[in-house]
Amino acid sequence: MFDPDPKALDLTRVESDVAFLGFALSDCTVELDPQSARYLRPVNRTALELATYNRFGSEIGGFWLMHDQIAKLRNLPEHYPSKEAPFVASAVEAYLRAQLHEFYSLGRER
């Protein structure tokens, strides 16, 4: 029978202070169906308008899309007619996925 060390840290009760804040926009390849692809330019333009330039100073630089701005970008489909909204939503999610692709691929290399 396994008898755990009473001094060992119980990780099930540990709360993390780590939170996803955002990411810097970068060039990326977005894979989309043709109907959603036509909305990619407005999605990219909106992301750039929402992003904060040099959010963490000029040393890090770039346009940063933070958590709140990502939420606003995900609201973009609400500004389109109901027939177009699903395609805009698909374009937004594909854009975010493509932007974060490098982030996720870095984790796999470790």
Side-chain angles (χ1 to χ4, degrees):
M1 178 172 217
F2 177 71
D3 186 23
D5 180 0
K7 297 177 187 173
L9 180 63
D10 181 6
L11 295 178
T12 60
R13 296 183 187 154
V14 175
E15 291 185 26
S16 174
D17 290 337
V18 177
F20 177 78
L21 291 178
F23 59 90
L25 295 176
S26 62
D27 290 337
C28 60
T29 302
V30 181
E31 296 180 19
L32 275 170
D33 61 89
Q35 288 179 315
S36 297
R38 64 184 285 216
Y39 298 100
L40 189 54
R41 184 164 288 151
V43 168
N44 184 55
R45 186 177 60 241
T46 303
L48 284 169
E49 289 173 3
L50 290 170
T52 305
Y53 184 64
N54 288 344
R55 174 74 167 108
F56 299 102
S58 60
E59 295 81 26
I60 297 176
F63 289 90
W64 287 79
L65 204 58
M66 308 309 287
H67 188 268
D68 293 344
Q69 296 158 327
I70 293 169
K72 288 179 183 177
L73 184 61
R74 284 186 165 140
N75 288 332
L76 184 62
E78 296 173 9
H79 300 282
Y80 282 83
S82 60
K83 289 182 180 181
E84 296 178 53
F87 301 116
V88 178
S90 177
V92 167
E93 293 306 317
Y95 179 82
L96 292 172
R97 227 179 1 263
Q99 286 288 331
L100 292 171
H101 177 73
E102 288 298 317
F103 175 75
Y104 285 112
S105 64
L106 288 175
R108 285 187 222 148
E109 294 173 4
R110 292 181 187 174

